[in-house]
Amino acid sequence: MAKTLAGFTVSRSGEDYVITIEDEGGATEEYTATYDQLDLIADTVGETLDSDEEDALAVDGETHDKD
């Protein structure tokens, strides 16, 4: 079962980045990532949010055209 995200931080460490992810229970995990990996994560999150944006902004089940 997936854990619920409570928060995260991204900080620079030399030429790499450290991503710290905290779950609802307070447990944390740290991951080292390169610039390219972090850029890919950012692109993927952006693309996912863009594709879900219309549904997220829908009011009372209605969608609106973006003009």
Side-chain angles (χ1 to χ4, degrees), residues 4-56:
T4 300
L5 178 68
F8 71 96
T9 61
V10 178
S11 57
R12 187 145 190 186
S13 178
E15 292 188 16
D16 291 328
Y17 297 86
V18 176
I19 304 166
T20 304
I21 299 174
E22 182 178 357
D23 70 20
E24 226 176 21
T28 60
E29 294 281 340
E30 288 189 346
Y31 300 91
T32 301
T34 65
Y35 176 89
D36 289 338
Q37 290 171 320
L38 199 57
D39 189 45
L40 180 60
I41 291 168
D43 287 347
T44 302
V45 169
E47 290 168 4
T48 301
L49 291 175
D50 286 348
S51 69
D52 292 342
E53 183 177 29
E54 188 173 302
D55 291 337

